[in-house]
Amino acid sequence: MNSNKQNIKLSPSRISGLESKYLLEALETNELSYYGSNVSSVEKMFKSYFNDKEVVTLNSGTSAIHLSLIMAGVKKDDEVICQSFTYCASVNPILYLGAKPIFIDSEPKTWNMCPVFLEKTINERINYGIKPKAIIVVHSYGMPCKINQIISIGEKYNIPIIEDAAEALGSSVNGRKCGTFGKFGIISFNTNKIITASSGGLIICDSISESEEINHLATQAKDSKTHYQHSKVGYNYKMNNINAAIVRAQYSILDENISLKKKIHQFYRDIFLNSEEIELQEEITGDVNSNFWLNCILINNLKNRERLIKVFTDFNIETRPLWKPMHMQPLYKEYKYYGNNVAETLFNKGLCLPSSSSLNIKELDYIKKAINSIV
Ligand SMILES: Cc1ncc(COP(=O)(O)O)c(C=O)c1O
């Protein structure tokens, strides 16, 4: 038993210190609804962050994907292509609409959607007489996917891309931020993300008319009458001024968090540099910039993977398997999958390591000690 046992979590938030100020202001001014100075400030800050694109704050990344699908015109029985290697929230909104997911495998470099299988699948579905209505692509763990190739394919076949950048706030490709490539981009401010609203999300879109329609849908779609009149189904999806207080404060440490994440990535790089058995997820080229939301490794020998998990458990350090691909999930077993089992291999070999920007030197030393006790 280790007498200095610590308890290290995978990705807890890092508090800026400004949260209580904005929360208190909201309470004192009785601005508790989805209007208020925090909501307006957050929308203004992210509009500027995303190079003057339009943004709408929502209560979660999941609702942002749901509304993006509605905006893309997805309806019952439509097919939506989606990356299989992801969290269920990328895909579940397809089922909310009664539409059908078609799953695409990852490619081994970025672990994200394989552009080759994407194009093959589109052609096959078109030949079959069904043109997919939208494509959901994910920057898993903050690592940008091959977004330029995927955007070109979307343009070639005229299919809108929904870019799930829930985990990739601050990641970029050729200097352009993830979330701004697709027809719609989404961000999550869940508690484990790079900055948090406690719970919250954001849609990034091109035009004011789109952002107005998203706001309308997110606030129960009330017609512009003085009385309560509704001509379509709406949702209670807008971010409130309390959650916006937290993310407003968190925005002040976004850049700092990203540079801390990069340092943590370098910490793991140094540890695994000479390991022949363990491979750390890396950026593919200099143009690709990950926020390294989570550091993930692949362990080639499955027995050693079990041993490593046991060491971390004994040290009270939280780790987690990589995403179990959606096409392997009981919920999604009836839907089509196109691929070559790359995502399945990632699931079998992978492990997410603690990566919070709040990790201190003592905790990092402790993690290193755990790893060195076996690697
Ligand atoms: C890839 C991905 N997509 C979507 C979501 C949904 O975000 P939220 O939890 O804010 O609903 C998350 C995070 O939870 C995620 O990791």
Side-chain angles (χ1 to χ4, degrees), residues 43-184:
E43 291 188 341
K44 207 166 141 199
M45 289 182 313
F46 278 103
K47 183 174 162 63
S48 149
Y49 189 78
F50 288 117
N51 211 11
D52 222 27
K53 282 216 154 198
E54 297 304 317
V55 299
V56 181
T57 47
L58 297 173
N59 61 4
S60 72
T62 311
S63 44
I65 294 174
H66 188 189
L67 292 186
S68 299
L69 287 167
I70 294 173
M71 292 296 293
V74 173
K75 302 227 162 46
K76 189 168 179 304
D77 293 331
D78 283 339
E79 289 190 352
V80 176
I81 291 183
C82 185
Q83 179 167 324
S84 183
F85 184 69
T86 187
Y87 181 50
C88 65
S90 308
V91 189
N92 285 345
I94 302 171
L95 295 193
Y96 300 172
L97 293 166
K100 296 174 192 159
I102 304 275
F103 294 114
I104 305 283
D105 201 3
S106 295
E107 46 80 26
K109 294 279 185 213
T110 69
W111 303 2
N112 290 306
M113 186 181 275
C114 171
V116 177
F117 273 113
L118 171 64
E119 187 157 17
K120 264 191 191 163
T121 304
I122 294 173
N123 279 312
E124 193 176 311
R125 301 317 292 158
I126 290 174
N127 288 340
Y128 189 69
I130 307 172
K131 185 173 164 188
K133 211 54 194 278
I135 297 164
I136 301 175
V137 64
V138 188
H139 305 290
S140 264
Y141 304 115
M143 183 62 69
C145 67
K146 293 191 167 169
I147 191 70
N148 284 317
Q149 288 180 48
I150 287 166
I151 293 290
S152 303
I153 295 170
E155 281 168 357
K156 181 169 166 190
Y157 295 91
N158 197 19
I159 304 174
I161 307 278
I162 296 169
E163 202 189 339
D164 180 347
E167 300 162 4
L169 177 58
S171 301
S172 62
V173 176
N174 290 330
R176 183 166 165 186
K177 296 225 167 62
C178 290
T180 64
F181 289 84
K183 174 79 183 131
F184 300 100

Side-chain angles (χ1 to χ4, degrees), residues 15 41 51 61 69 74 102 104 142 144 192 197 260 267 288 302 366:
I15 302 302
S41 296
N51 211 11
L69 287 167
V74 173
I102 304 275
I104 305 283
N192 64 11
L260 287 166
F267 160 82
V288 171
L302 296 188
Y366 185 71

